[in-house]
């Protein structure tokens, strides 16, 4: 009976000795937590932990000018959740126009710059610019229509780029209006410190906007 007890104790001790190193190695191998700092050595593990594919990491120039800035897993999780909440499609038809002030040197024929910034209520906005020609109280043609993306979420770990754009403007209502129509696809990216970017989602923004000659401040020539 005593011998059996001794053998049992030896077996238990051996089991403990065998198990402990394995557990220690697993812990030392880099189990991730929200406080884990992202490094070149664990970046692939971090990306997989976030549910992303390491092969999607796009190498770029240093994201942060200060190389001493550290990035934790928790910060990336927060940024990723924010990007995932972005809608897939947005339509903007709000009448939020910013018109260049009329100068004393305005003539009855000239060029008027028209501006519109979307109010999407998310992490980014789109800023449109239209160059319109006018003559004697009427719009006559459109020179150019452009768009740029504005990052307005103040998050160091997110960035936004325009993937594709179809932006056009035309004169309507016999010269009384300029009409803007645009479809823009915006890619949302998460920054993995200074190691690169991974695209998280794409949002399609459809925008329509009109300016009248009065809104645009066209000179009231007779």
């Amino acid at each position: 009976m005593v011998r059996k007890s001794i053998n049992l104790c030896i077996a238990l001790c051996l089991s403990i000795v065998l198990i402990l190193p394995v557990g220690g190695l697993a812990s030392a191998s880099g189990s991730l937590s929200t406080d884990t700092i992202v490094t070149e050595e664990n970046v692939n593990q971090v990306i997989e932990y976030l549910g992303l594919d390491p092969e999607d990491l796009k190498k770029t120039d240093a994201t942060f000018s200060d190389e001493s800035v550290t990035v934790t897993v928790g910060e990336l999780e927060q940024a990723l959740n924010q990007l995932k909440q972005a809608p897939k499609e947005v339509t903007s038809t709000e009448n939020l126009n910013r018109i260049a002030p009329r100068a004393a040197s305005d003539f009855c024929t000239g060029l008027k710059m028209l501006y519109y910034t979307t109010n999407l209520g998310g992490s980014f906005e789109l800023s449109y610019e239209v160059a319109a020609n006018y003559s004697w109280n009427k719009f006559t043609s459109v020179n150019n229509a452009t768009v740029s993306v504005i990052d307005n979420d103040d998050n160091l770990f997110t960035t936004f780029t325009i993937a594709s754009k179809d932006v056009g403007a035309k004169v309507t209502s016999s010269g009384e209006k300029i009409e803007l129509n645009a479809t823009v696809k915006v890619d949302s990216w998460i920054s993995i410190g200074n190691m690169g970017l991974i695209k998280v989602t794409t949002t399609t923004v459809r925008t329509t906007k009109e300016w009248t000659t009065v809104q645009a401040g066209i000179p009231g020539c007779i």
Side-chain angles (χ1 to χ4, degrees):
M1 182 69 178
V2 173
R3 186 171 183 179
K4 287 183 178 180
S5 298
I6 293 173
N7 289 337
L8 180 59
C9 288
I10 292 173
L12 288 173
C13 289
L14 287 173
S15 298
I16 293 172
V17 169
L18 290 172
I19 291 172
L20 284 177
V22 174
L25 287 173
S27 176
S29 67
S31 297
L32 302 179
S33 71
T34 55
D35 295 325
T36 301
I37 295 175
V38 183
T39 65
E40 291 281 359
E41 289 71 28
N42 68 7
V43 62
N44 287 344
Q45 184 185 3
V46 169
I47 292 172
E48 290 177 346
Y49 174 83
L50 295 173
L52 303 173
D53 188 345
E55 292 187 1
D56 291 336
L57 183 65
K58 181 179 179 181
K59 299 294 183 180
T60 61
D61 294 334
T63 305
F64 304 120
S65 57
D66 184 355
E67 294 185 359
S68 65
V69 175
T70 59
V71 182
T72 66
V73 171
E75 288 173 321
L76 292 183
E77 280 185 307
Q78 183 178 7
L80 182 61
N81 290 334
Q82 174 186 317
L83 293 180
K84 284 183 175 180
Q85 292 173 8
K88 297 298 183 183
E89 293 192 17
V90 181
T91 299
S92 176
T93 57
E94 295 177 356
N95 188 19
L96 297 176
N97 56 307
R98 177 169 60 86
I99 302 301
R102 177 180 174 182
S105 59
D106 280 343
F107 293 97
C108 292
T109 299
L111 178 71
K112 179 64 69 170
M113 297 305 299
L114 308 174
Y115 304 95
Y116 174 61
T117 299
T118 58
N119 184 20
L120 304 177
S123 298
F124 69 88
E125 305 291 350
L126 292 177
S127 178
Y128 295 94
E129 181 176 300
V130 177
N133 295 306
Y134 66 88
S135 178
W136 294 86
N137 263 347
K138 302 289 184 180
F139 291 116
T140 57
S141 62
V142 174
N143 274 350
N144 194 26
T146 62
V147 63
S148 58
V149 63
I150 303 172
D151 185 342
N152 61 8
D153 66 3
D154 297 323
N155 192 324
L156 290 175
F157 308 109
T158 62
T159 189
F160 306 90
T161 60
I162 293 178
S164 65
K165 57 186 177 181
D166 180 9
V167 183
K170 61 183 180 180
V171 178
T172 65
S173 302
S174 301
E176 294 291 338
K177 296 180 181 180
I178 292 290
E179 180 182 286
L180 168 74
N181 287 282
T183 299
V184 182
K185 292 188 176 183
V186 179
D187 286 340
S188 302
W189 303 77
I190 186 170
S191 173
I192 313 296
N194 288 317
M195 285 159 276
L197 301 168
I198 293 182
K199 186 171 72 174
V200 176
T201 187
T202 299
T203 302
T204 300
V205 182
R206 294 182 175 85
T207 302
T208 59
K209 166 66 182 168
E210 285 186 345
W211 293 270
T212 66
T213 54
V214 174
Q215 286 176 318
I218 299 301
C221 302
I222 298 175

